[in-house]
Amino acid sequence: MSRIARRFAALKQDGRGALIPYLEACDPDFQTSLDLLKAMPEAGADLIEIGMPFSDPSADGPVIQLAARRGLKAGATLPRLFEMVKSFREQDNDTPIILMGYLNPIEAYGIDRFCVDAAAAGVDGLIIVDMPPEETGPMQGPAKAAGLDIIRLIAPTTDDNRLKLVLSHASGFVYYVSITGITGTRSASDEDLRAALPRIRAATDLPIAIGFGIRTPEQAASASRIADGAVVASALLATLAKTLDPSEQATPSTLPSVLTQLRELAAAVRA
Amino acid sequence: MTDGVRANSLRNGPNASGHFGDGLGGRFVAETLMPLLLELDEAYKVAKADPAFHKELAFYLKDYVGRPSPLWFAKRLTDELGGAKIYMKREELNHTGSHKLNNVMGQILLARRMGRTRIVAETGAGQHGVATATVCALFGMKCVIYMGATDVERQAPNVFRMKLLGAEVVPVTAGAGTLKDAMNEAMRDWVANIHDTYFLVGTVAGPHPYPAMVRDFQSVIGDEVKVQMQEAEGRLPDVIVAAIGGGSNAMGIFHPFLDDPSVKLIGVEAAGHGLDSGKTAASIERGSRGVLHGNRTYLLQDENGQITEAHSISAGLDYPGVGPEHSWLHEIGRAEYVGITDDEALEAFQTCTRTEGIIPALESAHAIAYAVKIAPTLSPETLLVINISGRGDKDIFTVAEHLGVKL
């Protein structure tokens, strides 16, 4: 059983959903993002998404755009990212790590080599925003061979026919994009989420996480109950950004601020 | 646009999933947009097969855009260069001053058929933005144009035009504030407003079906050249030269000639300060395959797959990618792609103005510059067509600045 499947199974036993925080690699620098990554499980992260910075994140809102820009400025590359995950795995062999990003940097690195190196570093799953099932051909084999789950996005616009197609290419868990929009902008209401979930539930046995627009502990708690997990990204990155000095460097309050927020989210999810 | 499909034709692409050749093109977008692209693909197929749609488009192209545009024999330039016989396809005479309206008119009619009421578009030089704002005024639709902040500054006349036409112009400060960043922002707007919004792409790039659809709407240029050259010279042209940013004017004039192997097709990229200067927009000549803005094509990128900033004096060519069909024509060798520097384009801008009384857009000046380079090496029987994709009124401030003239 993969780390992702093990973690969701264990949480099901505990009777709660997962809290899935997001951080951007090398934001604002390699060491700070590594320290943050390492501190996240203790602060309540059940799975962790790490953003792979890309110059043109066309599905992301301003908060993640800026985080990606800081990451790139601090020298984020895929080898640096693998280094982060490797270092994390020295202390934590249970918390699943999902890489999220865009296809071009992966293709530039080489798809086969990327899958092999990511798995070797201790990565469990991939969310590649601009790679729909129709364009997954070249990634399917190498990801499977390396034991990496390809986590699929499902949107409110995904109709029933497409849902079948998307799910036939999904593994690990399913990521429900709760709004039609970009990251960190609007939020879906509980009502919308409750209406949307049964259709996906009926079509898959995979766990379902909800993301886009989840900011507050209340929203995280509610989403993690309606589905099987809640992804919080922009809200944490916005907190991190607020603690940086004028030259966008980390300050003594950077880690504590983000981790305090994460603890509050975790407390609500576990309440 | 309604040519029958024949085997072995180079005009049959892309395939059903939007791919040209070995994996170029395609649909690389977030899941939220996939159903919309499939809907658009379907709506376009239906329109393409509907004679009423073509009739409606033909009406607007003739009486509103002002087509057909003339094919002008550039006698003085021909005499001055002393070689090939140079013709100019006068796309700058279209309403709004460029080829952009051909595509925009097609897509706005499609958007109306689809029941959309709000249009978003990206623009670089502002020509596509002006064309889009124009048809939105014509049909009473809401219009939002995303334009890089740098371009807003260097294309001020077009920004004012768009505002007069009733469009909201949103300056984009991300990245270098040019066309690539405007494209990202337009995509973000579309995904957030899918219920009423149509994304009106201005070039032969983006996710399928845009590259094929924009090409189809622009192919009126090449279709006319074929007829006009037949009337003027009784045969096909020998060489066609067109400037390439995303590549819509070039694809429009190339496509009807793809199956005529005697016709040499030359796409002129903006070399900027020089192909090897690091300040260039020559995606085919100095880029490599990659995925950006929904399609796989040639891109300017670093070794980590991060997209690098393009540079050109011409805002309309200042884009680190190129339409996927051009990438394919390059890979199979059907079209040749070359570079022209900022300085060469400036020189050609003046040459054309002085000899023909036609002030070309800086984009088109790149095509002219390459024609000026090769014409003297060709025989006087050679028929060379330059696509004058736009007029240069919008560029006089930029040109004056480079010539050290204060306006």
Side-chain angles (χ1 to χ4, degrees), chain A residues 53-61 65 69 72 76-79 103-109 111 129-135 138 153-159 162 166 177 179-182 186 212, chain B residues 17 19 23 25-36 38 173-175 180-181 183-185 187-189 191-195 289-294 296 299 301-308:
Chain A
F54 180 47
S55 53
D56 293 81
S58 57
D60 284 303
Q65 289 174 44
R69 194 152 82 185
L72 287 173
T77 57
L78 290 174
L103 186 55
N104 200 53
I106 297 173
E107 287 204 347
Y109 189 85
I111 286 176
V129 180
D130 58 349
M131 188 184 74
E134 288 89 340
E135 299 287 359
L153 302 179
I154 288 173
T157 49
T158 310
D159 64 22
R162 246 196 103 64
V166 174
V177 176
I179 52 154
T180 54
I182 52 177
R186 299 194 282 250
F212 282 47
Chain B
S17 54
H19 292 102
R27 268 186 286 239
F28 294 87
V29 296
E31 176 57 27
T32 317
L33 288 181
M34 275 305 288
L36 282 98
L38 296 169
T173 51
K180 149 178 111 88
D181 312 296
M183 186 89 171
N184 288 329
E185 213 50 39
M187 286 175 82
R188 292 180 186 121
D189 180 308
V191 77
N193 297 289
I194 53 175
H195 56 286
R289 275 175 167 240
V291 173
L292 178 71
H293 294 152
R296 179 177 283 117
L299 302 171
Q301 54 183 322
D302 68 16
E303 70 280 11
N304 295 311
Q306 306 296 344
I307 309 305
T308 52

Side-chain angles (χ1 to χ4, degrees), chain B residues 163-181:
Chain B
K163 287 182 177 166
L164 284 174
L165 289 160
E168 182 191 345
V169 180
V170 184
V172 180
T173 51
T178 58
L179 181 53
K180 149 178 111 88
D181 312 296

Side-chain angles (χ1 to χ4, degrees), chain B residues 255-308:
Chain B
H255 200 257
F257 293 96
L258 290 184
D259 290 330
D260 300 301
S262 70
V263 183
K264 189 170 177 171
L265 307 172
I266 303 176
V268 184
E269 296 191 296
H273 293 184
L275 282 177
D276 297 312
S277 65
K279 285 184 116 28
T280 177
S283 321
I284 290 182
E285 291 156 282
R286 287 299 175 270
S288 53
R289 275 175 167 240
V291 173
L292 178 71
H293 294 152
N295 62 150
R296 179 177 283 117
T297 189
Y298 279 69
L299 302 171
L300 296 174
Q301 54 183 322
D302 68 16
E303 70 280 11
N304 295 311
Q306 306 296 344
I307 309 305
T308 52

